[in-house]
Amino acid sequence: MASVLTTTVQYQTINNYGAWVKAWQDHRQSGYESILLTGDQESLMAWLLNRDNGDILALHHRVELSTKLGPPPSHFGIEETLMSEHWLARDWSELGWEISDPSSARGKGLFIYPLGPVRADVSESLLYQLIVMGDEIVHVRLKNGFKHRHVREIVRGRTVQEAMPVVSVFTMTSTVHHSLAMALAVENAWGIDIPLAVNVTRTLMAELERTMSHLGDLAALAVSTGLPVPQMQYLHLKEQVLRVNYGLFGHRYMKGAIIPGGVTTALWSEDPRLSEAQGVIEQVLHQSTRIAHDLEHTTSFLDRLHGAGVVPKSTLETVRPVGPVGRATGLEIDVRLIRPYGAYHDLKPKTYTLASADSYARFRIRTQELRQSLTLVLELLTRWDPSLVPRITQHQERVDFLPKQPWGIGLVEAPRGLLAYGVRLNQDTGRIAHLSVATPSQRNWMAYAPAMANGNILQDFPIIDASFSLSVAGLDG
Amino acid sequence: MYYWQWLKNVVRIPHTTGYPSEPDAVVENMLYQDNIRFDPGVNPAPGFAPRSVAIRQVDGGSCNGCESELGLLSGPDYDLTRYGFSFAPSPKHADILVVTGVITQAMIPVIKGVFSQMTQPKRVLALGSCAIDGWVFKDAPGVVGRLDGIVPVTVDVAGCPPTPGDILRGLMAAVESHSVPSQEVHP
Ligand code: SF4
């Protein structure tokens, strides 16, 4: 079976800052996707993914602080790495990048409607400032930063093993994908290969997580339109999947299950009842298809979704949203196909896209992906043989390798979209010298405000909010 | 836009799926693991809960796992309304404050503000290992790592994340307890 690690990373050094940004812009226009922006040891690096063959290109710029750098990339219309840019500007003031506050709107009759950080029934801390004219939302400002846990900073200087417990709780609803992306990055730097049985296990976990995440998101969307029956049904199915996770892997969210070099089997059940799990997943598939079908025939639901929260064309160009949000705008980025990892080489999932970019498209894409994920889970369950998976009962059993190359890159398609980890390991000790993470939420929040302020009224807010279903933990980090 | 479908729906038979209709052994097990019992109170008819308690949740810097499990309490498998609990959008209507996450400096004034707006009597639940001792984020900059000391905590619910069953038991322990602070619920 082909190895993921054979994919090459090309490095290109550009000394002039203007030329560096220009090269980044040009590649971005011609088949490359920005995945990470890192700043480390006097150099800036823009990491790009080739959409056709999955190769990675690192554009490197050596920062000469004696000369003035010039405005940050967002000034040139590259906004998908805006959060990284903010962190760089804050931690590395010599760059001289000015980060302005998010713009506001002023005018006669405008009213600022503050919402948060405490809001709704159960929610994460984020402050929305909806600037409204009567009922219409004309501008949205998001104030985040209430929940910085500084994941990137605290893992610096740690061994890979010590870093995993922190990385795995970056966002619990994507814990498998965060651990997996970190593991892929580290394995990439170590230059090691992973046995097929482990890859199948990881992929099974990943698809179970996608299933769980989409079910939760769909429940939230259903209730945002005032339909508690489908909400309850989806929540019940989510609970079923969480119990399958627990039955097979000993944790409802499979936290800590994936580690660099393998998977931990400490919590696994002695006698995983695979046929039982299969039965449950089949039921979930059957019932979720039916709920989705019923929602597609519920006029009060569809009326609220169609045309609500359309992502404007200009935002598509600057932010290039990812995941279901991106695919609902017609952008076809799916890491599972572009740069297959785990067992995706031969699973070949289908990518669904729609062009209408509204809440309905996001709903529709999620239901389709949910169905596909459940089908993949069923297929993986027939292939999965737990007895072939090397037993690693504790993190510590796996020694830290010394890296073959300083940088490792891990890319996965998390439930919310492209998730990228870039890790630089110390060549002598193997400890983490630098960690960069680009979460799909960081990127998609940038598309959120323009979509919300695109001719919608206040009553659309909860629906559009739920249709994006982004995580604040992923934004603040 | 959908009049035709609307007409069709008039003649279609609605159906529901997979709603649990019988007591769920998993939930029962989770709820009665130790000696924290669901005390029905003075003289209620069997099976009725003499309780009406509103919950206000505040995220003090979580990974959203605790929120995910807390959200499942309103799902049909746990259905917190059966035990007399509900979620309140406003702190002014709330009886229990549930705080998740590591407690960042930025959230301290918010948490204090919410607590002060709640009317007496009030209880506080520290939900998840993060809110109890900072968990893996103890040494992170700007992280306090402990809810106790900011507002008076009634009950700690440990776990990462605690299961919905643990959370329910914790909520019950919080309202049943007479002295503040008192108990810990461990999974
Ligand atoms: S206790 Fe665990 S699940 Fe809860 S917020 Fe902390 S890390 Fe997340």
Side-chain angles (χ1 to χ4, degrees), chain A residues 117-126 145-151 153-154 158 165-166 169-174 212 228-229 231-233 235-240 242-243 251-253 255 286-288 290-291 293-294 296-300 302-303 306 416 471-474, chain B residues 1-3 5-6 8-9 12 14-20 24 26-27 30 55-72 74-78 87-89 91 102 104-107 110 114 135-137 139-143 160-164:
Chain A
V118 180
R119 67 196 157 93
D121 278 354
V122 176
S123 59
E124 293 187 80
S125 293
L126 177 71
F146 290 98
K147 44 191 293 175
H148 281 312
R149 290 163 298 158
H150 302 275
V151 173
E153 282 94 324
I154 55 183
R158 293 196 188 196
V166 181
V169 293
F170 201 113
T171 308
M172 185 62 81
T173 46
S174 309
M212 180 274 292
V229 174
Q231 178 210 11
M232 291 295 156
Q233 291 173 329
L235 281 181
H236 174 58
L237 299 183
K238 177 178 171 185
E239 175 71 19
Q240 299 296 304
L242 288 171
R243 286 182 193 179
H251 189 278
R252 283 161 63 88
Y253 294 83
K255 176 177 72 97
H286 174 72
Q287 295 180 357
S288 60
R290 191 152 157 182
I291 306 169
H293 176 267
D294 284 355
E296 291 271 9
H297 290 83
T298 304
T299 48
S300 64
L302 298 173
D303 266 339
H306 273 290
R416 294 187 179 89
S471 109
V472 188
Chain B
M1 184 168 174
Y2 299 104
Y3 295 112
Q5 287 193 9
W6 182 79
K8 266 201 313 201
N9 282 345
R12 267 171 86 241
H15 36 233
T16 53
T17 48
Y19 216 81
D24 179 347
V26 179
V27 178
M30 279 182 182
I55 303 167
R56 179 60 251 176
Q57 175 262 349
V58 176
D59 160 21
S62 73
C63 72
N64 86 12
C66 284
E67 278 83 2
S68 175
E69 293 292 54
L70 190 62
L72 280 169
S74 46
D77 298 275
Y78 301 95
F87 288 110
V102 296
T104 57
Q105 295 284 2
M107 283 307 289
V110 180
V114 168
W135 194 218
V136 292
F137 296 101
D139 312 317
V143 165
C160 180
T163 64

Side-chain angles (χ1 to χ4, degrees), chain A residues 35-56:
Chain A
I35 50 173
L36 274 174
L37 167 66
T38 63
D40 179 30
Q41 283 194 332
E42 288 122 50
S43 61
L44 285 173
M45 286 234 247
W47 300 82
L48 305 166
L49 171 72
N50 187 323
R51 272 199 294 274
D52 298 324
N53 57 18
D55 279 356
I56 288 179

